[in-house]
């Protein structure tokens, strides 16, 4: 780990709440580190475990998944599915040797630009402290990873 | 797939992007990405010349994929899709990289912002290769509308829609429409009588042949989508048959049970069977079950005995209706801050400390004192007129302990009350304020008028109200004098904050509306789409969106009606083609996806041994896709390979 380590964090944000919250942070000109790169999904429920594994495998040092607050999901209950799935995802990531602190599930509403900016700052600091992510020795290739994640789906 | 030829446009957005991001550098970076034929940077891509650039490249350079790196797709994705369509290219062969909201505006350092912009552009370029043309779907729009909430905003909306010849249901939770405006005496700054301008509209709403008024009713659930909503409404039992009642009032004259009147802020009594106020629409009483002797003990039944029309029906039960509508306007209004939460202002402890809404009832001719401002002793009004009255602004508003926002209408309402008290009693009136916010037509002039009437303005928030030896004192720091003041008065009026209506959270969940940090409903764009919500076909008007005065509420009601009418009149509406699909060959029929879909859009087909998606019901969230263990499900425009392409670039750059 060097002083100049700039972690790469991939964020999967739901279109209706969290992506809009990130837009609001921008419109409000709130500053946060440039380390987060956002990928838009319609619902956090769309995020497959393989997305997260792939991000880490392809060089990400951290992954953020963000959706609407419980009860506020645009699709009624997609975020509950994400919440349920997250328990499994945490298990998989631990099995692959990804430290806690590199991945995070958060709820950010469309009006929480400031909360979003604070969240990114915090997460970037966490990941910076952990240093660059290195795949453990003997990490299986992508196809095997996909199978481990349930053939691309979570089965739940 | 034919050869992919991508054009990339990096927008300056004036200086919004170009000040932070090296747009020429990003353009050069993009030019070298695989598949990129054209890369340009331009001042404003969304403006006409920018759009024309795009069109001419599509036509002349054989471009079949487009990436615009500019603002949020929530802003201009639809704009650019139309540009592609106008040049003969399917609108879905397009991707945006958000290098403004997510990059230039939030990043301190230019170098880091430029680097991030490169990563986002690379991700978009890689993703767009996998885009497929998608056909927009259209559905018919049901020609009826629903308005929820019968305050002035909802009434205005319902009337405008009905006058255009469309059927409207107006659902009101309380026994009468009229909302908060019905409880006001005069309206600022013109001092029009509130009831005089409101009641004709209430009556018109009730009598209009195109409006069905469902009072004492609540929406329980909403299904469907824009153009085709199914709304379940609970008609709460009134215990009075609306069709038989003539509104003669015998029942509530005979009812022996007195209950504090909500409408008069507890300053008078109503009966257990009651109409909330004399001009109520419909003029049909309702029995308050929790206070009715008959319901609580089984005895009494005076109302039933004396009703000349046999309209009282203790056996009545709640009814459920299902309404089919094309669009919904939510106008569920507001509440005011309950000052018992803040004992420092003495409300509830000292009987001559009133809220502004209570004072509205006192100055009103149909109120508990017949329009006289009188002091109370031992729970009863006396004949005594106050000689001095303090009006305290910003009670609960602009206060980080309660509500940080400005409630916007109370400065003017407080000035109006100060004027009315002065006019009716000749009392010395003190106005304790932080700032006077009188932005509005004729508002500043009204402020000047009230100042000239001899109202004393003390610049300082009323911090505390105390009683000593039967005398009320208002404590405040006079920030103009720089002195602490203790002002003795006979009566105190608290201008309490405008807050979200009770039950706003549930209404938001039922209709799929988001709420802001203050709890009010969130519009889909704060400037350009003030009436739309995140759910297409559901609109918000009036104070449910935030504090506003009557003219603004009326304007919003009419605006909401315009939104509904443009949807209904178009007759059909575009539905996003972003939906899930199932490869029946790959589907194992495990049915994991079936219960995951909140819209019941996935059905298992016994014959084929596979699941299928009903595209009309699917809303494209993709939750089922993420769950499919055999990879048979995919989501159009959010396919695995499209998202993988983005992940590869943003993770490695």
């Amino acid at each position: 780990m060097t002083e100049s380590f700039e972690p790469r964090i991939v964020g999967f944000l739901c279109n209706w709440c969290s992506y809009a919250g990130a837009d609001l942070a921008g419109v409000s000109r709130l500053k946060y580190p440039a380390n987060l790169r956002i990928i838009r999904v319609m619902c956090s429920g769309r995020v497959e475990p393989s997305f997260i594994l792939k991000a880490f495998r392809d060089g990400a040092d951290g992954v953020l998944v963000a959706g609407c607050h419980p009860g506020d999901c645009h699709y009624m209950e997609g975020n509950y599915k994400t919440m349920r799935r997250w328990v499994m995802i945490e298990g998989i990531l631990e099995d692959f040797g990804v430290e806690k602190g590199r991945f995070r599930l958060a709820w950010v509403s469309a009006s929480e630009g400031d909360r979003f900016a604070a969240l990114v700052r915090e997460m970037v600091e966490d990941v910076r402290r952990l240093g660059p992510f290195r795949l453990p020795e003997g990490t299986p290739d992508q196809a095997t990873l996909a199978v481990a994640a349930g053939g691309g789906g979570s089965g739940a | 797939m034919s050869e992919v030829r991508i054009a990339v446009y990096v927008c300056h957005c004036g200086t919004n992007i170009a000040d932070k991001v090296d747009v020429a550098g990003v353009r050069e970076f993009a030019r070298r990405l695989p598949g990129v034929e054209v890369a340009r940077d331009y001042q404003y891509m969304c403006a006409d010349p920018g759009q024309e650039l795009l069109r001419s490249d599509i036509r002349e350079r054989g471009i079949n994929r487009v990436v615009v790196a500019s603002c949020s797709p929530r802003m201009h994705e639809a704009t650019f899709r139309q540009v592609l369509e106008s040049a003969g290219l399917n609108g879905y062969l397009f991707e945006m990289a958000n290098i403004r909201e997510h990059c230039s505006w939030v990043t301190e350092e230019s170098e880091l912002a430029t680097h991030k912009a490169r990563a986002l552009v690379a991700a978009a370029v890689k993703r767009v290769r996998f885009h497929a043309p998608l056909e927009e779907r259209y559905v018919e729009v049901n020609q009826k509308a629903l308005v929820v909430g019968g305050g002035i905003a909802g009434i205005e909306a319902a009337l405008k829609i009905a006058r255009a010849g469309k059927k409207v249901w107006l659902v009101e939770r309380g026994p009468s429409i009229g909302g908060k405006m019905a409880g006001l005496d005069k309206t600022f700054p013109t001092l029009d009588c509130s009831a005089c301008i409101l009641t004709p509209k209430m009556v018109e709403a009730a009598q209009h042949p195109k409006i069905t008024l469902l009072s004492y009713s609540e929406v329980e659930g909403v299904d469907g989508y824009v153009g085709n909503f199914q709304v379940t409404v609970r008609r709460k039992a009134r215990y009075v048959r609306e069709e038989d009642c003539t509104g003669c009032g015998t029942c509530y004259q005979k009812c022996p049970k007195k209950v504090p009147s909500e409408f008069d802020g507890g300053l008078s009594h109503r009966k257990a069977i009651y109409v909330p106020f004399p001009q109520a629409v419909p003029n049909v009483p309702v029995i308050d079950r929790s206070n009715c002797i008959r319901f609580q003990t089984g005895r009494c039944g005076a109302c039933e005995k004396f009703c000349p029309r046999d309209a009282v029906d203790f056996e009545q039960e709640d009814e459920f209706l299902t309404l089919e509508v094309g669009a919904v306007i939510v106008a569920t209004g507001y509440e005011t801050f309950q000052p018992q939460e803040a004992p420092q202002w003495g409300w509830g402890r000292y009987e001559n400390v009133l809220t502004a809404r209570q004072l509205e009832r006192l100055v009103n001719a149909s109120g508990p004192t017949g329009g006289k401002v009188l002091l109370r002793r031992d729970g009863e009004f006396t004949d005594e007129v106050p000689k001095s009255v303090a009006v305290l602004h910003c009670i609960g508003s602009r206060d980080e302990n309660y509500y940080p926002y400005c409630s916007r209408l109370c400065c003017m309402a407080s000035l109006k009350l100060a004027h009315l008290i002065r006019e009716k009693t000749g009392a010395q009136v003190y106005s304790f304020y932080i700032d006077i916010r009188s932005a509005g037509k004729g508002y500043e002039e009204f402020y000047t008028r009230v100042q000239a009437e001899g109202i004393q303005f003390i610049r300082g928030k009323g911090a505390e109200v105390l009683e000593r030896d039967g005398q009320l004192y208002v404590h405040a720091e006079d920030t103009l004098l720089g002195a602490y003041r203790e002002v003795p008065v006979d009566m105190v009026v608290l201008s309490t904050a405008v807050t979200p209506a009770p039950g706003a959270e549930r209404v938001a969940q039922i209709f799929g509306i988001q709420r802001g940090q203050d709890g009010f409903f969130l519009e889909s764009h704060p400037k350009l789409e003030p009436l739309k919500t995140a759910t297409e076909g559901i609109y918000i008007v009036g104070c449910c969106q935030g504090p506003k005065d009557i003219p603004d509420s009326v304007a919003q009601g009419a605006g909401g009606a315009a939104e509904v009418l443009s949807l209904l009149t178009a007759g059909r509406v575009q539905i996003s083609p972003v939906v899930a699909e199932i490869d029946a060959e790959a589907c194992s029929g495990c049915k994991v996806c079936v219960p995951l879909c909140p819209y019941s859009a996935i059905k298992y087909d016994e014959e084929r041994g596979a699941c299928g998606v009903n595209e009309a019901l699917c809303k494209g969230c993709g939750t089922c896709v993420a769950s499919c263990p055999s990879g048979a499900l995919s989501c159009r425009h959010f396919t695995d390979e499209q998202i993988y392409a983005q992940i590869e670039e943003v993770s490695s750059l």
Side-chain angles (χ1 to χ4, degrees):
Chain A
M1 197 191 337
T2 60
E3 282 280 274
S4 63
F5 167 58
E6 287 296 341
R8 279 186 296 260
I9 299 175
V10 179
F12 297 96
L13 270 55
C14 86
N15 178 60
W16 304 99
C17 293
S18 305
Y19 194 94
D23 277 359
L24 181 63
V27 172
S28 315
R29 313 299 201 272
L30 303 173
K31 297 292 184 272
Y32 60 81
N35 309 67
L36 178 78
R37 287 85 190 271
I38 294 167
I39 293 176
R40 181 167 68 134
V41 287
M42 293 311 278
C43 178
S44 62
R46 174 70 185 92
V47 178
E48 297 180 19
S50 62
F51 293 180
I52 299 167
L53 293 172
K54 183 169 171 59
F56 279 117
R57 197 178 191 294
D58 290 349
D61 302 297
V63 172
L64 169 70
V65 176
C68 309
H69 284 273
D72 289 348
C73 178
H74 186 73
Y75 303 103
M76 287 161 18
E77 48 200 42
N79 53 0
Y80 288 120
K81 306 296 187 311
T82 312
M83 206 190 287
R84 211 164 67 180
R85 201 174 282 154
W86 192 253
V87 180
M88 180 188 72
I89 290 172
E90 281 181 323
I92 296 176
L93 290 171
E94 273 172 45
D95 287 351
F96 278 104
V98 185
E99 305 98 312
K100 268 196 156 68
R102 290 195 187 275
F103 50 93
R104 202 188 260 238
L105 174 65
W107 313 123
V108 177
S109 84
S111 63
E112 292 176 327
D114 48 356
R115 213 179 97 89
F116 177 75
L119 171 74
V120 179
R121 280 182 220 119
E122 199 182 294
M123 185 159 178
V124 169
E125 273 325 295
D126 283 354
V127 178
R128 206 189 289 279
R129 252 196 306 277
L130 287 167
F133 175 67
R134 289 199 177 80
L135 289 167
E137 290 290 315
T139 300
D141 62 15
Q142 218 162 300
T144 322
L145 277 176
V147 172
S154 65
Chain B
M1 199 190 329
S2 59
E3 191 202 356
V4 168
R5 297 171 66 86
I6 306 169
V8 180
Y9 304 89
V10 184
C11 182
H12 298 205
C13 193
T15 55
N16 282 308
I17 294 170
D19 259 8
K20 195 69 82 175
V21 171
D22 169 14
V23 285
V26 175
R27 180 201 65 212
E28 282 313 302
F29 166 81
R31 193 190 297 286
R32 292 192 292 272
L33 292 171
V36 173
E37 286 294 317
V38 181
R40 302 181 192 277
D41 62 283
Y42 187 71
Q43 275 284 316
Y44 290 103
M45 280 310 297
C46 60
D48 264 352
Q51 296 188 11
E52 198 43 50
L53 261 182
L54 221 148
R55 274 189 213 101
S56 69
D57 283 340
I58 292 171
R59 291 199 191 102
E60 285 154 34
R61 305 281 296 264
I63 294 303
N64 56 20
R65 296 287 188 285
V66 177
V67 170
V68 174
S70 58
C71 50
S72 170
R74 293 171 54 88
M75 183 86 189
H76 272 316
E77 191 173 51
T79 312
F80 290 117
R81 277 190 184 149
Q82 276 167 14
V83 177
L84 263 69
E85 295 280 349
S86 71
L89 200 59
N90 185 282
Y92 285 84
L93 299 172
F94 168 75
E95 178 65 7
M96 266 178 112
N98 185 345
I99 61 166
R100 192 179 73 172
E101 282 86 343
H102 291 187
C103 186
S104 70
W105 275 349
V106 292
T107 310
E108 294 278 12
E109 286 179 51
S110 269
E111 205 180 309
L112 292 175
T114 304
H115 185 78
K116 182 174 180 178
R118 281 201 293 264
L120 295 175
V121 168
V125 167
K126 196 157 195 177
R127 186 191 209 274
V128 84
R129 299 178 75 89
F130 299 102
H131 282 205
L134 296 177
E135 291 312 316
E136 299 281 0
R137 300 175 296 155
Y138 291 88
V139 293
E140 297 281 307
V141 175
N142 181 306
Q143 292 297 300
K144 301 185 230 13
L146 167 69
V147 176
V148 186
I152 185 61
I155 290 174
E156 185 67 22
L159 283 174
K160 286 276 191 292
I161 298 168
R163 286 175 192 158
K166 307 289 184 191
K167 167 85 194 168
V168 188
W169 278 283
L170 176 57
V171 171
E172 163 58 44
R173 172 162 68 175
S176 169
I177 55 171
K180 291 282 189 285
M181 188 178 169
L184 303 179
D185 182 48
K186 301 284 190 292
T187 55
F188 59 78
T190 49
L191 300 176
D192 302 45
C193 154
S194 183
C196 312
I197 54 178
L198 174 66
T199 47
K201 280 187 184 281
M202 290 163 62
V203 173
E204 190 188 345
Q207 292 180 346
H208 200 288
K210 288 286 182 187
I211 299 179
T212 302
L213 174 58
L214 301 174
S215 63
Y216 211 50
S217 302
E218 288 186 49
V219 173
E220 296 269 312
V222 178
D223 276 329
Y225 48 92
V226 57
N228 298 275
F229 293 107
Q230 293 88 42
V231 183
T232 311
V233 176
R234 176 197 290 268
R235 299 212 71 187
K236 295 179 282 188
R238 275 188 120 92
Y239 307 107
V240 176
R241 280 187 295 271
E242 259 186 69
E243 59 280 14
D244 293 332
C245 174
T246 58
C248 70
T250 310
C251 54
Y252 49 82
Q253 283 156 18
K254 298 293 182 189
C255 175
K257 173 76 178 189
K258 280 186 173 180
V259 183
S261 156
E262 296 85 356
F263 188 76
D264 280 341
L267 296 178
S268 70
H269 288 95
R270 61 163 172 88
K271 298 294 183 62
I273 183 166
Y274 70 106
V275 290
F277 55 101
Q279 306 93 332
V281 171
N283 185 17
V284 177
V286 47
I287 295 179
D288 162 12
R289 218 184 139 113
S290 60
N291 282 302
C292 170
I293 299 169
R294 161 71 197 241
F295 275 113
Q296 296 308 315
T297 69
R299 292 190 296 276
C300 191
C303 49
E304 187 186 30
K305 236 170 284 167
F306 288 100
C307 176
R309 300 268 301 164
D310 280 332
V312 175
D313 176 6
F314 294 114
E315 306 301 316
Q316 212 176 50
E317 285 180 2
D318 293 3
E319 281 176 47
F320 290 89
L321 303 176
T322 303
L323 312 178
E324 309 243 329
V325 296
V328 179
I329 291 180
V330 176
T332 46
Y334 70 101
E335 195 39 81
T336 47
F337 173 58
Q338 301 302 302
Q340 60 265 40
E341 290 171 36
Q344 64 270 36
W345 288 298
W347 190 89
R349 278 190 294 155
Y350 309 134
E351 56 188 346
N352 290 308
V353 176
L354 304 173
T355 63
R357 289 203 64 83
Q358 285 179 311
L359 200 84
E360 291 282 354
R361 298 313 303 151
L362 277 202
V363 294
N364 190 290
S366 68
T369 54
K372 293 184 187 136
V373 180
L374 300 173
L375 293 171
R376 288 197 292 175
R377 291 276 176 273
D378 306 321
E380 300 292 333
F381 283 102
T382 63
D383 291 333
E384 203 186 327
V385 169
K387 294 187 185 62
S388 53
V389 180
V391 180
L392 274 50
H393 293 223
C394 292
I395 299 303
S397 310
R398 304 180 70 196
D399 185 334
E400 59 187 26
N401 296 311
Y402 303 101
Y403 301 95
Y405 53 83
C406 167
S407 292
R408 199 170 157 196
L409 53 88
C410 19
C411 268
M412 291 308 294
S414 304
L415 293 175
K416 173 196 72 182
L417 289 175
H419 161 85
L420 292 174
I421 296 165
R422 178 93 175 144
E423 182 184 68
K424 285 184 179 267
T425 64
Q428 177 62 60
V429 181
Y430 301 93
S431 209
F432 290 83
Y433 69 101
I434 307 176
D435 307 283
I436 296 289
R437 298 189 166 173
S438 55
K441 203 170 181 179
Y443 291 7
E444 183 69 13
E445 293 88 330
F446 186 74
Y447 175 34
T448 312
R449 170 185 167 180
V450 173
Q451 281 178 308
E453 286 171 354
I455 310 289
Q456 280 216 24
F457 286 86
I458 298 175
R459 186 167 181 269
K461 181 171 175 173
E464 196 171 22
V465 177
L466 288 173
E467 193 181 67
R468 231 173 26 241
D469 305 327
Q471 175 73 58
L472 290 172
Y473 292 90
V474 177
H475 294 245
E477 183 195 350
D478 186 326
T479 57
L480 292 180
L481 286 182
Y484 182 74
R485 291 182 68 173
E486 192 186 74
V487 180
V489 289
D490 297 332
M491 181 185 270
V492 174
V493 180
L494 305 177
S495 248
T496 46
V498 172
T499 67
E505 187 178 358
R506 190 168 133 74
V507 173
Q509 289 180 359
I510 288 174
F511 290 100
I513 303 170
Q514 297 173 336
R515 297 202 300 158
Q517 278 171 307
D518 47 20
F520 291 104
F521 296 160
L522 196 64
E523 60 281 9
S524 70
H525 190 280
K527 308 290 185 309
L528 300 178
E529 290 184 339
L531 309 175
K532 288 188 174 174
T533 67
T535 305
E536 233 190 308
I538 309 271
Y539 306 96
I540 46 174
V541 302
C543 287
C544 64
Q545 182 263 353
K548 49 185 70 65
D549 58 16
I550 294 168
D552 286 2
S553 296
V554 173
Q556 283 212 332
E563 292 276 12
V564 167
L565 288 172
S566 60
L567 180 65
L568 265 51
T569 310
R572 58 176 206 159
V573 64
Q574 223 176 50
I575 298 275
S576 167
V578 176
V579 289
E581 53 189 353
I582 294 183
D583 175 357
E585 292 297 308
C587 176
S588 69
C590 74
K591 298 179 224 164
V592 159
C593 53
V594 175
L596 284 179
C597 179
Y599 308 105
S600 309
I602 307 179
K603 290 275 181 297
Y604 177 68
D605 182 339
E606 292 285 351
E607 255 174 55
R608 292 163 72 199
C611 291
V613 178
N614 180 338
E615 287 190 15
L617 296 177
C618 175
K619 296 196 182 181
C621 68
T623 301
C624 58
V625 182
S627 77
C628 179
S630 32
L633 268 158
S634 64
C635 184
R636 289 188 198 141
H637 212 58
F638 288 88
T639 64
D640 281 358
E641 57 183 2
Q642 288 165 356
I643 295 171
Y644 283 167
Q646 283 175 289
I647 296 172
E648 281 159 22
E649 295 306 297
V650 294
S651 301
S652 59
L653 275 171

